[in-house]
Amino acid sequence: MCGIIGYIGERNCIPILISGLKRLEYRGYDSAGIGVLSDAESVIVKKPGKVSSLEEKVELLNLSSNVGIGHTRWATHGLPNEINAHPHSNQNGTISLIHNGIIENYQTLKKGLQKLGYNFISETDSEVLPHLIDNFISRGHSLLKSVRLALSEVEGTYGIAVIYSGEPDKIVVARKGSPLIIGIGSDENFVASDVSAILAHTKQVVYLEDNEIAEVFRDHFNAKTISDDEIEKEVHEISMSLEEIDKGGYPHFMLKEIMEQPESVRNSMRGRILLEEGNVKLGGLAEVADRLAKSKRIIISACGTSWHAGLVGEYMIEQYAKIPTEVEYASEFRYRNPIINPDDSVFFISQSGETADTLAALKEAKNNGALALGICNVVGSSIARESIAGVYTHAGPEIGVASTKAFTSQLVVLALITLLISRKRGMSLEEGKKIAEELNSIPEKINLILSKNDEIKNIAEKYCNVKNFLYLGRGYNFPVALEGALKLKEISYIHAEGYPAAEMKHGPIALIDDNMPVVFIAPKDSIYDKVISNIEEVRARGGNIIAIVTEKDENMNRLVDHSIKIPDTIPMLMPILASIPLQLLAYHIAVKKGLNVDQPRNLAKSVTVE
Ligand code: G6P
């Protein structure tokens, strides 16, 4: 969601803040702003739109400062305009504050502050914070104590950074439900919502936990809990390099990330497959593997693309491990008082590891005594740290808002987990070996699919002006249909729906005419003939058909307008392969339409608010 960066040290903070904001822009990007202390005076500069517009405005001001904070916003309360952009300030402008998250009781707090004479100028929930802090400072408290007292009145979530001209030697940061890290430099320190913002300067970071607050000085920091208890914080070393989060010569992060998939899925499997034993080794699950295999039920909870991965996981686990499995949107799971038993295992899948609904659902499952497990991409993220145990997907940093390589890595990890549980529950060595070997061959097969990029681009260009798309698949490929439709919707703004192919005749068939492209995921598997019948039904109504088929399927050409051939594999792994042409199809359609594929409108990479 929104992004936070802050700097305190001997250098001029302006270029550090701007470059940090540019790195964070993928998280939220409808407006941006910085707040600095220049000669102990507070200066705030804000601008709607991209960080580059803010940069132009800042350059004209010729500012210089050794301490400052910056924010890129994804609007929740109030339009994305200059007034609603962060930093927000108190009335006399001495405090600058940036906030990620949502203050749920802001209306109540606002009314109370208005009665005390505080004027509000923005429509945001965040603006209550500087006024609340001001109210405590005016009663003689220090900045740290005032922030602490203010936050004790707040309901909701926050990651905040505050500077105050009365105490210009520090940045105060605090966290509850929205990530906040401190980057440790030499005679300089940083704060950020995401390591990518500060990786150019330091790899030493401290993760604040929920309900923690810290004063960050040029040469040290002090951390406490919000209730004022002293705490010791550990410094972590980040292994990710700056090159890993750059575009590497591709026009968009999304294309780079699609093209990286042979390597990213290999990284998800690296050191984990035991070919001879037909088994896998997952260090993160070692201590809980027996309990997991004895689960009476498995629940998978996630949002967006990660939820689609969960659906594929359900098919895998039920087919091989024979444990009843349910998949549920985290946002539903957390609020409907789900029945969770101590002999249930619940997987939470999240690329970012910060999605607010998934994190809250995880806490709910933990409180109910379930074995709460994480499948995350971002190392050290909140979900990874809150889980009892888990598996990292190791797909590498994903910057494009529409998830691609993180999805295929989630599928790989789910396959590894399925193999682990199934072998403990009686799967034969032979069957285990077959799955392990198939997994091993996946990166090469992905390479073959990626070599068809131009072919897919040609197909995409024919369909960039249509208004609707339908995606159909059955069995393991039904979630692929959902994911294909989501990718297209997210980045091309074309309305697209995914359906189980047989459900088409219960509604969507009414929409089919010669303006409706229908994408079928139709590999040669046990339900191939049934999918062919569905294809015939679309053909009979004049729909344009794009089919994802397996090599050697010569039959399909006569039935469809375009077929994209992909290598064959076992059904449980087919979604890994079949989703890739759909990622490319969506990508090329969006590029042809001239859209910003990496930062589609209204979306955010990491949704840290409900
Ligand atoms: C946002 C992103 C999606 C992502 C979803 C869940 O909506 O735009 O790409 O699938 O959040 O995110 P997570 O980080 O939990 O996988």
Side-chain angles (χ1 to χ4, degrees):
M1 207 112 275
C2 315
I4 287 177
I5 166 90
Y7 174 84
I8 183 159
E10 287 174 348
R11 290 191 274 165
N12 179 10
C13 69
I14 309 290
I16 297 170
L17 297 180
I18 296 289
S19 62
L21 288 178
K22 284 186 175 166
R23 291 236 175 250
L24 289 171
E25 210 169 15
Y26 73 100
R27 296 176 62 102
Y29 34 75
D30 54 41
S31 50
I34 59 166
V36 300
L37 295 176
S38 188
D39 297 326
E41 285 290 315
S42 218
V43 181
I44 288 179
V45 190
K46 312 198 265 193
K47 189 89 201 224
K50 312 284 287 176
V51 174
S52 51
S53 319
L54 174 73
E55 184 177 24
E56 283 164 20
K57 187 168 174 185
V58 170
E59 269 168 12
L60 296 175
L61 298 172
N62 228 344
L63 278 175
S64 177
S65 163
N66 305 124
V67 50
I69 53 178
H71 188 260
T72 168
R73 179 169 184 248
W74 185 86
T76 58
H77 292 67
L79 293 172
N81 58 25
E82 184 158 332
I83 290 178
N84 290 336
H86 299 218
H88 290 288
S89 180
N90 55 337
Q91 237 143 285
N92 60 11
T94 51
I95 297 169
S96 301
L97 178 143
I98 54 186
H99 167 228
N100 285 357
I102 291 182
I103 310 293
E104 284 163 4
N105 59 338
Y106 85 102
Q107 293 285 16
T108 318
L109 293 172
K110 189 171 172 176
K111 276 189 199 124
L113 287 161
Q114 280 168 330
K115 278 194 194 136
L116 293 174
Y118 284 92
N119 285 329
F120 284 75
I121 54 171
S122 80
E123 303 159 284
T124 66
D125 54 333
S126 310
E127 198 190 351
V128 297
L129 291 173
H131 294 310
L132 208 50
I133 294 167
D134 177 281
N135 188 241
F136 287 108
I137 287 183
S138 65
R139 292 190 225 163
H141 297 301
S142 68
L143 174 64
L144 180 70
K145 187 162 181 194
S146 301
V147 173
R148 216 162 47 68
L149 293 171
L151 292 178
S152 66
E153 295 192 9
V154 159
E155 284 164 23
T157 55
Y158 52 78
I160 59 164
V162 198
I163 51 174
Y164 168 47
S165 58
E167 296 177 39
D169 60 338
K170 70 191 68 158
I171 304 175
V172 172
V173 289
R175 165 194 168 137
K176 185 180 174 194
S178 202
L180 214 295
I181 57 171
I182 304 171
I184 311 294
S186 144
D187 246 353
E188 59 183 11
N189 285 320
F190 305 82
V191 301
S193 52
D194 183 326
V195 282
S196 62
I198 55 171
L199 208 53
H201 310 288
T202 181
K203 290 193 164 193
Q204 310 284 320
V205 304
V206 172
Y207 296 101
L208 278 199
E209 300 291 340
D210 279 354
N211 300 310
E212 289 182 357
I213 183 165
E215 269 179 313
V216 182
F217 300 88
R218 179 176 56 80
D219 51 1
H220 70 288
F221 73 94
N222 302 322
K224 286 185 165 190
T225 64
I226 294 283
S227 36
D228 208 23
D229 298 319
E230 296 291 337
I231 41 172
E232 280 293 315
K233 297 299 294 180
E234 205 182 317
V235 179
H236 297 261
E237 170 94 19
I238 301 290
S239 57
M240 194 194 300
S241 70
L242 203 53
E243 296 71 61
E244 279 180 272
I245 54 170
D246 276 341
K247 273 192 207 151
Y250 286 98
H252 300 101
F253 280 113
M254 184 176 177
L255 185 59
K256 173 185 176 245
E257 287 156 7
I258 292 173
M259 292 298 176
E260 271 170 3
Q261 287 176 107
E263 196 52 26
S264 54
V265 300
R266 198 174 276 122
N267 286 339
S268 307
M269 296 186 241
R270 200 178 296 282
R272 291 171 163 176
I273 295 187
L274 308 170
L275 270 183
E276 287 309 307
E277 294 163 43
N279 210 330
V280 297
K281 192 174 86 192
L282 295 171
L285 291 182
E287 306 222 321
V288 298
D290 288 335
R291 182 173 164 199
L292 172 61
K294 287 189 190 125
S295 310
K296 287 268 182 319
R297 182 175 64 147
I298 289 179
I299 302 169
I300 303 176
S301 191
C303 303
T305 288
S306 299
W307 183 78
H308 293 155
L311 286 179
V312 179
E314 175 188 14
Y315 284 62
M316 290 178 180
I317 295 168
E318 289 206 341
Q319 181 183 356
Y320 289 102
K322 312 264 185 260
I323 301 177
T325 304
E326 289 166 29
V327 187
E328 186 148 355
Y329 285 117
S331 54
E332 290 298 312
F333 184 80
R334 64 182 286 198
Y335 283 121
R336 65 169 187 89
N337 298 319
I339 299 165
I340 308 170
N341 300 308
D343 47 15
D344 287 337
S345 295
V346 193
F347 280 101
F348 295 91
I349 309 179
S350 175
Q351 186 287 126
S352 63
E354 302 294 348
T355 302
D357 283 322
T358 314
L359 184 56
L362 161 62
K363 289 179 181 166
E364 170 84 20
K366 244 169 87 176
N367 289 341
N368 283 285
L371 182 60
L373 306 168
I375 299 177
C376 294
N377 193 36
V378 176
V379 176
S381 57
S382 303
I383 293 172
R385 284 178 295 131
E386 280 284 336
S387 313
I388 293 171
V391 186
Y392 281 118
T393 45
H394 292 312
E398 189 179 69
I399 307 292
V401 165
S403 185
T404 53
K405 66 173 182 172
F407 176 67
T408 45
S409 283
Q410 288 167 345
L411 298 181
V412 166
V413 164
L414 285 161
L416 296 175
I417 293 170
T418 302
L419 191 48
L420 178 83
I421 311 175
S422 306
R423 289 288 278 128
K424 284 188 182 290
R425 291 173 64 90
M427 177 191 270
S428 69
L429 169 65
E430 206 182 324
E431 194 162 19
K433 271 181 152 176
K434 170 99 176 65
I435 295 175
E437 277 159 18
E438 278 296 329
L439 269 164
N440 236 2
S441 69
I442 288 288
E444 258 326 295
K445 293 181 179 176
I446 295 179
N447 266 325
L448 290 172
I449 300 171
L450 295 174
S451 69
K452 305 201 166 187
N453 184 31
D454 286 344
E455 184 188 319
I456 298 169
K457 185 175 172 199
N458 287 339
I459 300 172
E461 289 179 351
K462 295 193 171 65
Y463 293 99
C464 61
N465 292 322
V466 302
K467 299 263 179 296
N468 298 289
F469 252 90
L470 197 57
Y471 286 72
L472 302 173
R474 298 182 78 141
Y476 277 107
N477 297 306
F478 158 52
V480 177
L482 294 178
E483 176 58 11
L486 179 66
K487 280 297 80 88
L488 186 72
K489 227 180 313 213
E490 283 178 310
I491 60 169
S492 74
Y493 316 145
I494 293 175
H495 170 242
E497 285 191 62
Y499 263 91
E503 276 294 304
M504 177 187 67
K505 51 189 168 302
H506 299 291
I509 200 164
L511 300 170
I512 294 171
D513 61 16
D514 51 11
N515 288 320
M516 173 70 114
V518 183
V519 179
F520 275 93
I521 300 105
K524 268 222 159 151
D525 55 17
S526 60
I527 39 181
Y528 175 79
D529 291 338
K530 303 210 177 296
V531 178
I532 293 290
S533 309
N534 301 135
I535 289 178
E536 294 280 16
E537 287 157 10
V538 172
R539 229 160 78 89
R541 287 158 184 85
N544 297 298
I545 302 173
I546 302 167
I548 310 297
V549 300
T550 31
E551 280 161 356
K552 301 199 189 100
D553 182 352
E554 303 305 339
N555 179 34
M556 194 65 91
N557 283 346
R558 65 179 181 85
L559 293 176
V560 303
D561 298 273
H562 312 279
S563 66
I564 302 167
K565 288 193 173 155
I566 61 173
D568 204 358
T569 184
I570 52 175
M572 79 181 285
L573 302 182
M574 187 51 84
I576 305 175
L577 301 181
S579 57
I580 293 171
L582 304 186
Q583 296 168 351
L584 284 168
L585 186 69
Y587 171 79
H588 288 299
I589 290 178
V591 170
K592 184 74 183 167
K593 290 182 78 177
L595 299 170
N596 183 346
V597 289
D598 283 337
Q599 295 174 352
R601 72 181 178 209
N602 305 339
L603 296 179
K605 183 71 187 157
S606 174
V607 182
T608 52
V609 294
E610 279 189 52

